[in-house]
Amino acid sequence: MALFVEKFGGTSVGTVERIHAVADRVARSRRSGNDVVVVVSAMAGETDRLLSLAQEIESHTGSATAGHAGHNAAQTKATGREIDALLATGEQVTVALLVLALQRQSVEALSYTGSQVPIRTDPVHGKARILDIDPTRVRADLDAGHVVVIAGFQGVDPDGNITTLGRGGSDTTAVAMAAALRADECRIYTDVDGVYTADPRIVPAARRLERITVEEMLELSSLGTKVLQTRSVEFAGKYGVPLRVLSSFTDGPGTLITHEAKDMEQPLIAGIAYNGDEAKLTIRGVPDEPGVASRIFGPISEAHINVDMIIQNVGRDESTDLTFTVKRDEYEKARALLDRVAAELGARDVVGDTNLAKISIVGVGMRSHAGIASTMFEVLAKNGINIELISTSEIKISVGIADKYLELAVRALHKAFGLDSSPEEEPLDTAVVD
Ligand code: ADP
Ligand code: ASP
Ligand code: MG
């Protein structure tokens, strides 16, 4: 008997009809002899609705909202605790509704919150990391013939507080449960029928991939492809969880995230990722001496702000400029910290730009091919798009550009690298490196 973890995202459980459709799918899987653990998200739009309620309350009382500059650490933690308690209710609704729908079909099922499993996390509210899952109780219910339906996105910290895993976190709940239970496959059911060469909402010519390596998927996710939360792909890689992305609306093979790259025909570029919500900060005229970077980035990392691309200019007159990018919603917080550090260091000034987008091309084929970066730059130049920052790794190249060019750039690159479903012209030439 196979064990499957089946995860259904917000749109897949967005209405009562959709919850019945999910119950049909789970019932079929169960009746064909599988053990099934289901993980569900909140109904589409619910997490956003809850967040805006919290914002309304906070702005009404005149206090700063969570994450805003000026909040001290204790307040942020206290606020984060309550926001997590609030957000976790979204998933609690869908687990109960789905179990009721399954019971109508005479499928024995039980709902679980994260803390009932328990899914233990660290205490970082809003972006908690899973530390450990005790699968004993879930296993016992499966052995007793139940379908187990688990609330995604939530866990419990060492002090018993409810935590949440960051937006899109139900994917991580599903893969982590699959790892803890050594499931035969973790199936992520969503509103697209697999992983595409680019977001099909932006690039109509995007193609579904039959397979993609875990390495490429990890890059794509961390660079903005939101079909899977990055942490979920990390879990799949670390624990070797067989992972598949499929549609909850249609039947089909979906996309398999593979751990074995060797049998695969390697396309040059597997896909293109983008993130339209970036911001850039530059601290100008800082002393060019040891310890400066750590003085700048220390407070930023203590505030749990993720820094992405970093450029330090060549120093002149014993001073230099340093530019880095952060997510746009962390810009104000980063800016306040940087203004403070700039004053302490005697830097000339700080300038910022919140209209930045990042586009990345990803593929393990880059290891054996040269000329990919120059092709990318050439395509952007031909379209009159200025590159503001560049960063590369072994299997990806990212550029920072003005966000108004995002769609144009993604479509042009998709076509130039031969990813369009019916390419009108041959992909550009690149040389093979031996
Ligand atoms: P869910 O609510 O099921 O978790 P998400 O909205 O998180 O679904 O993820 C699915 C969405 O991811 C799709 O609707 C699609 O627009 C988007 N997406 C972005 N990039 C890609 C890609 N390369 N392949 C497939 N989907 C993508
Ligand atoms: N409901 C949460 C969100 O909207 C978690 C998830 O959907 O995976 O981010
Ligand atoms: Mg999602």
Side-chain angles (χ1 to χ4, degrees), residues 41-42 47 91 153 167-170:
S41 295
T47 308
E91 273 69 12
F153 177 55
R167 299 307 303 266
S170 302

Side-chain angles (χ1 to χ4, degrees), residues 7 9-11 189-192 194-196 198-201 225-227:
K7 180 257 169 178
T11 2
Y189 287 95
T190 183
D191 56 4
V192 271
V195 178
Y196 277 65
D199 186 349
R201 287 176 209 268
T225 299
K226 77 162 190 170
V227 66

Side-chain angles (χ1 to χ4, degrees), residues 204-336:
R207 280 184 291 116
R208 180 178 62 83
L209 298 161
E210 281 294 321
R211 296 159 156 252
I212 182 166
T213 66
V214 76
E215 218 184 342
E216 288 166 324
M217 194 65 237
L218 191 57
E219 286 283 9
L220 285 175
S221 296
S222 65
L223 295 166
T225 299
K226 77 162 190 170
V227 66
L228 288 174
Q229 198 199 31
T230 310
R231 286 284 293 149
S232 73
V233 189
E234 277 171 16
F235 261 99
K238 188 163 170 195
Y239 297 100
V241 178
L243 180 61
R244 194 183 286 278
V245 175
L246 320 97
S247 166
S248 69
F249 293 79
T250 56
D251 289 329
T255 299
L256 183 67
I257 288 74
T258 62
H259 299 268
E260 287 283 311
K262 54 180 188 291
D263 301 335
M264 285 174 66
E265 197 191 321
Q266 303 288 353
L268 202 52
I269 302 298
I272 301 180
Y274 68 88
N275 196 316
D277 302 319
E278 304 269 331
K280 184 172 85 166
L281 283 153
T282 302
I283 176 166
R284 296 194 293 193
V286 274
D288 194 8
E289 60 190 34
V292 167
S294 94
R295 293 272 304 273
I296 294 173
F297 293 114
I300 304 252
S301 100
E302 274 160 31
H304 297 287
I305 298 172
N306 288 323
V307 169
D308 184 12
M309 300 193 250
I310 303 177
I311 299 179
Q312 183 176 332
N313 284 353
V314 178
R316 72 190 113 74
D317 310 330
E318 288 165 10
S319 77
T320 187
D321 301 343
L322 202 136
T323 299
F324 61 92
T325 64
V326 294
K327 288 277 166 291
R328 196 170 295 160
D329 61 2
E330 299 196 308
Y331 172 81
E332 291 297 343
K333 206 163 141 193
R335 170 93 204 214

Side-chain angles (χ1 to χ4, degrees), residues 378-395:
E378 193 186 314
V379 171
L380 295 172
K382 271 193 192 148
N383 284 277
I385 301 169
N386 185 41
I387 300 171
E388 300 181 26
L389 298 101
I390 301 171
S391 88
T392 64
S393 80
E394 216 189 357
I395 66 163

Side-chain angles (χ1 to χ4, degrees), residues 77-78 80-82 84 114-116 118-132 154-165:
K77 184 147 177 56
R81 180 184 186 277
E82 302 317 317
D84 276 357
S115 66
Q116 284 173 325
I119 296 174
R120 299 192 187 96
T121 73
D122 67 19
V124 183
H125 289 292
K127 40 179 156 176
R129 292 168 78 92
I130 296 175
L131 300 175
D132 156 63
Q154 55 180 266
V156 60
D157 81 1
D159 294 327
N161 300 304
I162 296 171
T163 53
T164 64
L165 310 179

